[in-house]
DNA sequence: TATTGTTATACTCTATAACTATA
DNA sequence: TATAGTTATAGAGTATAACAATA
């Protein structure tokens, strides 16, 4: 069977598709939606306010409300009113949310390692460092909590 | 400002996020939803039946019906009943769908080139060939029309 | 009977606009 | 007035289950 060489655009777009598929599958295996999994990843670094959450996920405040509502109903997160400014609510992980989020990230890490198992270590390091620079240079998600283990 | 080194998982997941953002933005600039843009990319290789379309996009047949309904309403695609098996309907691009899809793919290609402009050519080739092998090895989208210019 | 596609229904995610509570 | 968040409403996308038409 003829295997056409992928150009850089096709390789990146279809590679991104594989990564997205891994995240979606891993989320489903933990009974999470993709957005709930992202929420758990963001909150793994500590509580944030609704406004900060919307900025991090790049969705509107009303979308944020709905997402947190459903996650709260699923016992993954909880809200707290800030004492010093009672307009502001922080969101934090429940014990279950923390546990499930940790398991989700571990699964994604494992599946990605499996996907790239046949790529030589030297090439993998070039890929990692190049992507790393592109991601960190681009401020597309500039306010992202800057923890290296964040999987979202 | 401290810039933490991203591990391979974080680099890939966040890199995939940047690519997805580019596709979403490019789609929006052509008044397409992300799924409509994917639909136009698949159909760029020629008409397919509803069943084939569902398999390519990895969605159920009822989801396929809704997606094609809305795309047809937006004058991007059209249906045809197969003469030799009147149960089967093929979907093909309209002239507008072809034009908009082509413009979308060109825009994605351009934006990705810009995103990676500072990565040395040698590294970019390692990245391309490694991703290319991973994508082609994995049958996650095995029935994908095997054209190199496919951007979805 | 099996296959192809549509319809009915429901849930998630998203957005805009109007609203409440607090500062 | 301005800010933080919620509610009302609407549309896209997804799924499952039941259905119609055709093979």
């Amino acid at each position: 069977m003829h295997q056409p060489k992928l150009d850089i655009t096709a390789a990146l777009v279809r590679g991104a598709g594989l990564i997205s598929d891994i995240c979606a599958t891993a989320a489903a295996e933990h009974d999470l939606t993709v957005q709930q999994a992202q929420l758990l990843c963001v909150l793994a670094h500590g509580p944030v306010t609704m406004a900060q959450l919307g900025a991090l996920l790049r969705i509107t405040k009303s979308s944020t409300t709905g997402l947190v509502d459903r996650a709260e109903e699923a016992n993954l997160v909880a809200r707290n009113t800030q004492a010093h400014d009672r307009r502001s609510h922080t969101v934090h992980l429940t014990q279950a949310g923390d546990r499930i989020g940790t398991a989700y990230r571990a699964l994604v890490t494992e599946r990605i390692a499996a996907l790239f198992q046949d790529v030589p270590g030297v090439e993998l390091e070039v890929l990692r460092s190049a992507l790393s620079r592109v991601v960190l240079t681009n401020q597309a998600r500039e306010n992202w909590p800057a923890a290296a283990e964040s999987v979202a």
Side-chain angles (χ1 to χ4, degrees), chain A:
Chain A
M1 197 167 105
H2 174 235
Q3 285 230 335
K5 228 176 91 163
L6 296 185
D7 64 23
I8 184 67
T9 300
L12 283 166
V13 171
R14 293 179 60 175
L18 288 179
I19 300 294
S20 299
D21 284 350
I22 285 176
C23 292
T25 302
E29 288 178 29
H30 288 289
D31 288 310
L32 299 171
T33 65
V34 169
Q35 287 80 0
Q36 284 177 335
Q38 285 183 328
L39 176 59
L40 297 187
C41 289
V42 170
L43 295 182
H45 306 297
V48 295
T49 65
M50 294 295 287
Q52 290 170 328
L53 195 49
L56 289 169
L57 298 174
R58 303 166 75 80
I59 57 179
T60 64
K61 55 188 182 176
S62 76
S63 298
T64 308
T65 296
L67 184 59
V68 171
D69 281 351
R70 290 184 295 272
E72 200 166 26
E73 206 163 334
N75 245 309
L76 298 168
V77 306
R79 284 172 167 95
N80 265 114
T81 301
Q82 295 286 79
H84 57 83
D85 182 345
R86 292 158 43 75
R87 291 172 305 183
S88 185
H89 303 173
T90 58
V91 188
H92 62 273
L93 294 178
T94 61
Q95 202 169 13
D98 187 31
R99 179 175 48 73
I100 296 172
T102 300
Y104 163 78
R105 289 194 301 279
L107 187 53
V108 169
T109 298
E110 178 191 318
R111 296 273 163 84
I112 286 182
L115 183 65
F116 284 81
Q117 65 182 343
D118 291 335
V119 176
V122 180
E123 294 185 28
L124 212 54
E125 172 54 21
V126 171
L127 192 140
R128 187 205 62 71
S129 74
L131 276 180
S132 192
R133 257 178 298 133
V134 167
V135 166
L136 295 175
T137 299
N138 262 268
Q139 274 76 11
R141 304 188 167 189
E142 63 269 2
N143 296 316
W144 204 273
E149 74 277 16
S150 173
V151 178

